[in-house]
């Protein structure tokens, strides 16, 4: 898979509805994973979206999630840029440059879903998420 760059939108408890709306607008294939599917049994968040991805026939990709209650949510600043793919060296290089002089919120490291993932805000105030696909074997 080639590296990709796309918007990632954060919501508070309505990511599913928003992404279903965007699917109606743009068409395409929508995949959703909930916090409960990844082991969080808390009834307050188990059905919330941990990750959603809309892939359209026109080549658009839109990603989103619900912001967990323990994380700050500020409408108007609820969008980040996502870099993802399986070229680990390339993506780690981007990560290092983006994080330099910025603030790392989540270190780039292996996550429960098997990928390496990190979040940072670059020195210009732009939020970035980097996901390096793990081995599918």
């Amino acid at each position: 898979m080639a590296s990709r760059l796309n918007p990632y939108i954060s919501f508070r408890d309505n990511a599913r509805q928003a992404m279903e709306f965007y699917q109606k607008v743009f068409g395409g294939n929508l995949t959703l994973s909930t916090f409960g599917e990844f082991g969080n049994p808390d009834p307050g968040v188990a059905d919330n979206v941990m990750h959603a991805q809309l892939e359209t026939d026109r080549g658009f990709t839109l990603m989103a999630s619900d912001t967990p209650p323990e994380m700050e949510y500020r409408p108007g600043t609820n969008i980040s840029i996502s870099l993802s793919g399986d070229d680990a060296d390339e993506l780690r290089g981007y990560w290092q440059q983006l994080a330099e002089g910025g603030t790392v919120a989540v270190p780039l490291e292996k996550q429960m879903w098997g990928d390496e993932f990190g979040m940072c805000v670059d020195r210009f105030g732009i939020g970035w998420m980097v996901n390096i696909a793990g081995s599918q074997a």
Side-chain angles (χ1 to χ4, degrees), residues 6-26:
N6 58 271
Y8 200 109
I9 306 172
S10 298
F11 295 94
R12 178 70 86 193
D13 303 329
N14 61 352
R16 180 183 306 273
Q17 295 87 346
M19 293 301 286
E20 288 171 349
F21 168 75
Y22 297 137
Q23 183 182 31
K24 287 179 186 172
V25 172
F26 298 112

Side-chain angles (χ1 to χ4, degrees), residues 64-109:
S65 66
D66 282 310
T67 304
E70 66 273 10
M71 293 179 68
E72 182 179 7
Y73 175 74
R74 295 181 315 211
T77 62
N78 53 324
I79 190 164
S80 299
I81 300 172
S82 171
L83 273 170
S84 56
D86 60 5
D87 187 329
D89 291 337
E90 177 185 56
L91 291 165
R92 283 187 194 111
Y94 292 144
W95 169 262
Q96 289 171 354
Q97 293 176 71
L98 291 166
E100 184 178 332
T103 304
V104 173
V106 176
L108 183 63
E109 58 191 22

